[in-house]
Amino acid sequence: MIRRYLRQKLNNVGVVVALGGLALLAAIQLAVSGGEAGFEVGTLAVFILAAACVSKDASSGGLQMILCRPIRRSSYLMGRYVGILAGYGVFLLIAAGLCIMASQALPLIGASPQPLQPLALARGALASMLVAMAMAAPILMFSTFLPGYGDALGYILLTPLLALPSVAAQVLKAPAIEKVGTFLRQNLLPNPDWQAVLSGRNPLGEPTGRWLFAVVGYLVLAVVFFSRREFAYGQD
Amino acid sequence: MISVQNLSKTYGRFGRRTRALDAVSLEVRQGETLGLIGPNGAGKTTLLSCLLGFLRPDSGFVRIAGRSVDDLWVRARSGYMPERLGFDRDLSGAAFLAFHWRLTGGDPGQTEARVASAADRVGLERPSLFKKLRTYSRGMLQRIGVAQATLGDPDLLFLDEPASGTDPLGVAVVRERILEAKARGATIVLNSHQLSEVERVCDRVVFIDRGRLVRDETLRGEAASRRRSSVRVPPEKAEEAARVLAEAGLAAEIAGGGMLRLPEGSEAQVAAAVKALALADVAVLEVRSSAELEEMFKEPRPS
């Protein structure tokens, strides 16, 4: 299932070109900063890898052919999730490799990048993978019931949606609503300071717990929605 | 083997509701080949989807060998071919079959042999097996669809218009695979508009109309119902043949072109008719025996 997912994504020339471009961009940023910049552009790569992860299979009819085989729906979903993360892992490895090459090449063209710190590079890659895990889970959940690229759109809309309580709190001058908004944002879109956590500062603190809760919660919801979903095919 | 009890399914919400299945009940015995027949929109595909667990009925239930349709035991013994093969078109035919062989839980060491054997059985030549599915014609897709459905010799086969879009040779290949599965005791549910093919392979047909099961006809065996038989004689001898048959106690109806329809379709009656005509020196050019599904299709409610 994981191999199939990677093959489906990487057989698309547009996806490969986009991921290659993003890896190059990330590599240059990292090389210039000596590995301290992190993999910020990686979030776009997660979008590319995760978008339409289930919906495309459902609309093509391929999913029905898989689900009539002795495969649990949850196994199929986990295959998609791990496939996204495996794809992103490859992206990070390529970006890191390009970064190492760029840090050697940049001085040759007269640039003076910061000396590359391998530990910072590794920490940045790991932090980026943890961010990807939290992004891919809700996109996968949305993909179990939204058609086409609705999953990626759903994730994008989640941020302004969760900002609404704060706006409402300001307009209505109701601090209680603000608290609800903060609670929702912290728990539904957790954003721990992974650089700090991975440096050993409070690794098992509240932010890490919220991240874990959100990832597990989205995956459980994805399985629940997907298990109940109906798949029609053809015409009577 | 398959038990469907009071199955109902409605599509849509809030006023625009369509009842696709209305209290459908039927039993399919182990080793039986059942044909689903009915006009477009009758509910056949909905029924097939419920049997495969793609759709959840509003009420009623489906049990296969006493188990839920979602049971992995059932799925491990099932093969399914959709009307249109919508799978990764970038895969080669061989990779597609290998993927499905692995999904069935088949021995990975046998993948190559099983793929080659499945392709041979549907007449897919080696060079085309290594081409991408997107280059396949409709007929080739149907053939490889049948090959994947029959991989691992499943005990249950669900086929949705398996010969649709194929040439006569393809139709024959599909028929042979169905008959082969039938010969080894597989239980088969076939949804098809090709009535002649349904008649050739099915033991029983059910007619579905507006979500209701309106007719259940046995086509083979002792319980076979309403088969019609005809004999064809030289057209100029039709009148004489009708008279000979009437004298033999068989009131045949002249249908034109030298064809005479016998009132019943039993083998004994056909034999009696042929004997009477031979003794009267009337050449019998052809004997036809069919369930006349087309007539039943036009008039699905039992008379």
Side-chain angles (χ1 to χ4, degrees):
Chain A
M1 283 296 160
I2 298 165
R3 262 191 301 167
R4 176 172 175 261
Y5 185 69
L6 290 175
R7 196 192 58 239
Q8 280 179 320
K9 279 286 172 185
L10 301 179
N11 263 343
N12 187 323
V13 178
V15 167
V16 173
V17 169
L19 290 176
L22 287 171
L24 194 63
L25 195 62
I28 292 168
Q29 279 184 340
L30 285 161
V32 169
S33 67
E36 293 284 355
F39 290 79
E40 266 81 22
V41 294
T43 53
L44 286 173
V46 179
F47 266 113
I48 292 168
L49 285 164
C53 53
V54 175
S55 53
K56 208 170 178 185
D57 243 3
S59 63
S60 74
L63 183 56
Q64 288 88 321
M65 293 188 70
I66 291 172
L67 294 183
C68 70
R69 297 289 183 192
I71 300 288
R72 289 193 191 285
R73 290 189 178 197
S74 54
S75 304
Y76 168 83
L77 266 192
M78 288 307 111
R80 302 312 262 185
Y81 185 63
V82 176
I84 296 166
L85 298 181
Y88 191 59
V90 173
F91 170 84
L92 290 176
L93 281 175
I94 291 171
L98 287 173
C99 165
I100 293 166
M101 286 196 279
S103 64
Q104 304 291 319
L106 283 175
L108 299 177
I109 56 166
S112 50
Q114 299 285 324
L116 185 65
Q117 296 177 36
L119 191 62
L121 186 65
R123 204 160 42 219
L126 188 54
S128 188
M129 180 55 87
L130 292 165
V131 171
M133 286 171 77
M135 276 180 73
I139 294 175
L140 182 80
M141 183 198 73
F142 284 128
S143 201
T144 59
F145 59 91
L146 291 175
Y149 291 100
D151 50 2
L153 190 65
Y155 182 81
I156 291 167
L157 290 176
L158 207 55
T159 307
L161 202 68
L162 293 177
L164 280 180
S166 298
V167 176
Q170 282 178 2
V171 173
L172 300 170
K173 295 187 176 29
I177 300 176
E178 173 67 45
K179 278 186 185 172
V180 171
T182 307
F183 176 82
L184 289 174
R185 271 196 309 279
Q186 283 178 338
N187 289 285
L188 297 180
L189 287 175
N191 189 20
D193 180 358
W194 288 117
Q195 291 289 355
V197 170
L198 294 172
S199 301
R201 272 175 275 159
N202 197 17
L204 299 176
E206 203 177 317
T208 313
R210 284 187 176 133
W211 172 87
L212 190 65
F213 171 80
V215 170
V216 173
Y218 283 124
L219 292 180
V220 168
L221 281 176
V223 170
V224 169
F225 293 150
F226 196 58
S227 301
R228 297 174 61 85
R229 182 167 171 188
E230 294 188 319
F231 297 96
Y233 79 92
Q235 297 291 312
D236 275 325
Chain B
M1 186 70 172
I2 301 174
S3 176
V4 178
Q5 293 296 325
N6 277 318
L7 203 70
S8 293
K9 177 70 188 169
T10 305
Y11 292 121
R13 292 175 191 170
F14 314 119
R16 290 182 61 85
R17 292 172 72 83
T18 309
R19 203 158 179 81
L21 288 178
D22 190 2
V24 169
S25 295
L26 67 97
E27 300 282 333
V28 187
R29 289 185 299 279
Q30 185 156 2
E32 189 174 38
T33 301
L34 177 80
L36 301 178
I37 291 180
N40 291 330
K44 305 183 301 294
T45 298
T46 301
L47 176 59
L48 207 55
S49 297
C50 289
L51 295 179
L52 287 158
F54 298 156
L55 294 176
R56 313 244 179 256
D58 301 335
S59 61
F61 65 84
V62 180
R63 286 276 182 275
I64 296 178
R67 298 165 190 254
S68 154
V69 291
D70 291 325
D71 196 311
L72 296 189
W73 184 93
V74 171
R75 291 200 199 148
R77 285 156 183 80
S78 301
Y80 156 62
M81 185 199 166
E83 185 179 358
R84 280 180 187 274
L85 198 73
F87 209 75
D88 309 356
R89 295 295 175 107
D90 286 320
L91 278 181
S92 69
F96 167 74
L97 291 177
F99 179 74
H100 278 274
W101 171 249
R102 286 194 296 273
L103 283 185
T104 61
D107 178 4
Q110 288 188 17
T111 306
E112 207 174 314
R114 288 295 193 138
V115 165
S117 151
D120 285 345
R121 287 195 298 176
V122 293
L124 272 177
E125 290 164 5
R126 288 299 153 87
S128 54
L129 195 57
F130 294 98
K131 286 181 183 166
K132 293 190 171 182
L133 290 179
R134 81 165 105 89
T135 65
Y136 277 33
S137 66
R138 178 84 200 270
M140 286 166 78
L141 283 174
Q142 293 301 103
R143 284 180 188 223
I144 204 159
V146 171
Q148 72 80 27
T150 52
L151 266 174
D153 297 334
D155 298 331
L156 276 158
L157 262 180
F158 299 96
L159 305 170
D160 195 2
E161 296 287 359
S164 166
T166 57
D167 56 21
L169 197 61
V171 172
V173 165
V174 171
R175 186 197 313 134
E176 282 164 21
R177 296 291 70 78
I178 295 174
L179 292 173
E180 187 181 85
K182 192 174 162 165
R184 62 174 168 75
T187 306
I188 304 167
V189 178
L190 171 68
N191 180 19
S192 177
H193 283 304
Q194 291 180 315
L195 299 181
S196 59
E197 290 304 312
V198 169
E199 197 178 322
R200 281 182 171 199
V201 299
C202 290
D203 301 313
R204 191 158 65 99
V205 290
V206 289
F207 293 81
I208 298 173
D209 189 22
R210 280 166 282 184
R212 297 185 74 90
L213 198 156
V214 294
R215 193 160 181 162
D216 189 332
E217 294 283 340
T218 303
L219 304 182
R220 305 213 195 291
E222 290 293 309
S225 54
R226 209 179 97 156
R227 289 187 73 79
R228 292 287 293 271
S229 296
S230 310
V231 288
R232 189 162 68 85
V233 298
E236 66 277 8
K237 294 265 190 179
E239 295 284 341
E240 184 189 342
R243 185 173 45 74
V244 168
L245 291 176
E247 283 168 7
L250 302 165
E253 175 194 335
I254 299 173
M259 195 65 84
L260 290 113
R261 279 186 182 166
L262 300 175
E264 285 177 35
S266 70
E267 286 176 358
Q269 196 181 59
V270 174
V274 172
K275 186 180 173 186
L277 291 171
L279 288 173
D281 208 19
V282 177
V284 176
L285 305 175
E286 186 185 355
V287 176
R288 279 190 204 167
S289 181
S290 73
E292 300 202 337
L293 289 182
E294 199 173 310
E295 279 188 18
M296 292 185 203
F297 194 91
K298 289 173 190 163
E299 191 87 33
R301 287 175 197 285
S303 49

